């Protein structure tokens, strides 16, 4: 396993030009997993002990942090992140913060699951970032209030121990806890600013909820589906196609570069479990001059099963939601959408229900992970 790069210390003061020119980052292997703290999934920063300079909600903004060197308000420099005031000691004899002093924010994950890695991004916090950070997780079902989460009866598990971080950097941490989490507590020691928080992991849905729904989207990210691979990620991530809701703009879907050969593009998915698929949707919302011309959908039952086409190559219209009812249920654990010759789709929906075997497996895993 490749060691995760560590960034510590101040970044250089901003000297003009592109503020990301000296930004410190790396390729973290866990970022192949979905961001469980995505606002589109319903994630939120539900409380913080201090947000004097910059609001806690900025932590989960999907776009990277922006920087305007001349943007000031009546409290001081306005930053695109979460920034607390400077802590002070007990008095003149000891003006420095105590070792245990820290600020915190409570984050509700948009989809509960197993956390594989966390990115604490201090972009543009060059000399005002925290000295160290730590992250804890808990699993509390329902919609607990901040007061309930901070109660003595809630058990928190350390995901990231107190670790020094760097300014103006993407600080990545692999997480080894094999548990299901619903909420995180992000701590910065003793104070400072964090621009963005990304929590990468595997969605573990509540099997009771899926059973109550009966028929649901078995490839949706919030229900445990995920993208395994795609032929092209030039303009936008393939994972956008299984996000909740309809696309809101062109880059909220999946778009490939223009092909100059006789090939085609595709995405391969793993479903929430073995499922019986009865209907599907292919949406090209906001893709008007660049939607795929045609698409087909296939399913595979098991890792070594044969691919079986359930929707033959079909003409797509731009900026349109296409619905198809299958003549008979199709059973599979994986799905693939092929588009011809290139272009994009915004969403794929596969409506069906889990088989008894898949339901039993999901229930057992849910219990093993503490759900």
């Amino acid at each position: 396993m490749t060691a995760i790069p560590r960034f510590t210390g101040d970044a250089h003061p901003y000297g003009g030009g592109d503020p990301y020119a000296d930004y410190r980052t790396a390729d973290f292997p866990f970022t192949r997993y979905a961001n469980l703290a995505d606002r589109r999934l319903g994630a939120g920063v539900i409380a913080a002990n201090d947000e004097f300079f910059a609001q806690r909600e900025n932590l989960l903004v999907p776009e990277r942090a922006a920087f305007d060197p001349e943007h000031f308000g009546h409290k001081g420099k306005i930053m695109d992140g979460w920034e607390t005031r400077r802590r002070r000691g007990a008095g003149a004899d000891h003006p420095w913060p105590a070792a245990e002093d820290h600020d915190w924010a409570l984050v509700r994950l948009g989809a509960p699951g197993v956390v594989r890695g966390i990115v604490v991004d201090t972009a543009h916090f060059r000399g005002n970032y925290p000295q160290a950070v730590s992250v804890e997780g808990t699993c509390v079902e329902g919609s607990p209030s901040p007061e309930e989460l901070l109660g003595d009866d809630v058990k928190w598990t350390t995901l990231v121990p107190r670790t020094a971080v760097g300014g103006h950097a993407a600080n990545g941490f692999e997480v080894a806890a094999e548990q299901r989490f619903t909420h995180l507590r992000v701590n910065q020691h003793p104070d400072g600013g964090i621009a963005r928080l990304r929590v990468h992991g595997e969605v573990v849905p509540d099997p009771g909820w899926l059973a109550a729904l009966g028929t649901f989207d078995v490839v949706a990210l919030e229900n445990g589906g995920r993208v395994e691979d795609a032929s092209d990620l030039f303009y936008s991530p393939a994972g956008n196609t299984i996000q909740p809701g309809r696309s809101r703009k062109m880059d909220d879907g999946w778009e490939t570069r223009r092909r100059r050969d006789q090939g085609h593009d595709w995405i391969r998915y793993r479903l929430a479990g073995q499922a019986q698929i009865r209907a599907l949707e292919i949406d090209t919302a906001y893709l008007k001059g660049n939607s795929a011309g045609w698409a087909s959908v296939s399913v595979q039952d098991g890792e070594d099963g044969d691919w079986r086409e359930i929707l033959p190559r079909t003409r797509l219209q731009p900026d349109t939601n296409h619905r198809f009812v299958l003549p008979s249920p199709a059973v599979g654990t994986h799905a693939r959408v092929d588009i011809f010759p290139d272009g994009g789709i915004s969403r794929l929906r596969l409506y069906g229900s889990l088989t008894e075997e898949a339901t039993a497996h999901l229930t057992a895993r849910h219990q093993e992970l503490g759900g």
Side-chain angles (χ1 to χ4, degrees):
M1 181 181 296
T2 303
I4 298 296
R6 288 280 176 260
F7 304 109
T8 57
D10 293 350
H12 295 298
Y14 175 64
D18 178 8
Y20 275 101
D22 59 340
Y23 176 67
R24 295 178 287 178
T25 188
D27 291 327
F28 303 119
F30 52 76
T31 56
R32 70 181 186 274
Y33 295 103
N35 177 21
L36 305 183
D38 194 322
R39 282 288 300 172
R40 291 174 293 180
L41 287 173
V45 187
I46 61 175
N49 72 306
D50 186 286
E51 48 186 330
F52 185 86
F53 285 113
Q55 298 175 341
R56 64 182 191 257
E57 288 85 359
N58 290 333
L59 284 172
L60 305 188
V61 172
E63 295 80 18
R64 71 177 187 173
F67 180 71
D68 181 349
E70 298 180 359
H71 193 193
F72 286 83
H74 68 278
K75 290 184 179 180
K77 182 73 183 75
I78 296 177
M79 297 292 290
D80 186 7
W82 168 50
E83 186 180 5
T84 66
R85 71 194 78 198
R86 300 187 187 215
R87 283 183 171 270
R88 298 297 186 232
D93 293 338
H94 198 284
W96 310 279
E100 66 274 12
D101 285 349
H102 68 280
D103 292 317
W104 53 265
L106 293 178
V107 176
R108 179 189 63 242
L109 297 180
V114 178
V115 178
R116 300 300 183 192
I118 295 173
V119 177
V120 177
D121 190 345
T122 59
H124 314 304
F125 290 96
R126 295 170 176 269
N128 51 346
Y129 58 95
Q131 182 185 37
V133 300
S134 61
V135 182
E136 302 158 279
T138 190
C139 183
V140 180
E141 297 301 335
S143 304
S145 67
E147 292 74 21
E148 290 170 327
L149 288 171
L150 295 173
D152 294 336
D153 58 334
V154 174
K155 177 184 177 182
W156 291 89
T157 299
T158 298
L159 306 185
V160 178
R162 182 169 175 168
T163 306
V165 294
H168 196 43
N171 300 276
F173 306 92
E174 282 189 312
V175 176
E178 198 69 20
Q179 299 178 47
R180 181 178 182 267
F181 296 103
T182 60
H183 296 78
L184 301 187
R185 183 163 60 190
V186 181
N187 306 302
Q188 48 178 339
H189 309 267
D191 54 39
I194 298 171
R196 296 290 187 266
L197 176 75
R198 305 293 186 236
V199 183
H200 297 278
E202 300 176 60
V203 176
V204 181
D206 179 353
W209 175 252
L210 297 184
L213 293 178
T215 296
F216 58 92
D217 182 1
V218 297
V219 76
L221 176 60
E222 60 189 320
N223 295 330
R226 66 179 186 266
V227 168
E228 287 195 325
D229 200 3
S231 61
D232 187 290
L233 302 173
F234 190 83
Y235 284 113
S236 46
N240 283 347
T241 60
I242 55 175
Q243 288 282 358
R246 296 197 71 198
S247 176
R248 298 168 297 168
K249 52 182 180 165
M250 191 174 72
D251 66 350
D252 192 18
W254 172 61
E255 182 188 358
T256 72
R257 74 192 82 193
R258 300 188 188 212
R259 279 190 171 268
R260 304 305 187 198
D261 58 20
Q262 300 300 304
H264 73 281
D265 290 311
W266 51 268
I267 307 175
R268 187 177 74 243
Y269 305 88
R270 177 182 291 273
L271 307 183
Q274 187 187 54
Q276 292 183 321
I277 302 167
R278 291 183 283 275
L280 61 93
E281 292 180 350
I282 300 175
D283 196 352
T284 58
Y286 290 97
L287 296 164
K288 299 181 178 181
N290 50 353
S291 68
W294 293 261
S296 64
V297 178
S298 304
V299 298
Q300 179 190 44
D301 192 19
E303 298 285 353
D304 301 320
D306 294 329
W307 287 98
R308 181 165 66 91
E309 193 173 69
I310 61 173
L311 179 72
R313 192 179 304 187
T314 302
R315 187 75 169 94
L316 299 182
Q317 298 299 322
D319 196 26
T320 300
N321 192 25
H322 310 76
R323 291 179 170 176
F324 307 93
V325 176
L326 303 183
S328 60
V331 177
T333 57
H334 297 72
R336 190 183 70 228
V337 59
D338 294 271
I339 64 170
F340 303 88
D342 55 25
I345 63 173
S346 60
R347 296 291 188 269
L348 174 71
R349 305 296 188 206
L350 302 177
Y351 295 106
S353 54
L354 297 183
T355 63
E356 290 185 6
E357 180 182 351
T359 299
H361 175 76
L362 179 59
T363 301
R365 184 165 188 250
H366 187 264
Q367 293 173 346
E368 291 170 1
L369 295 172

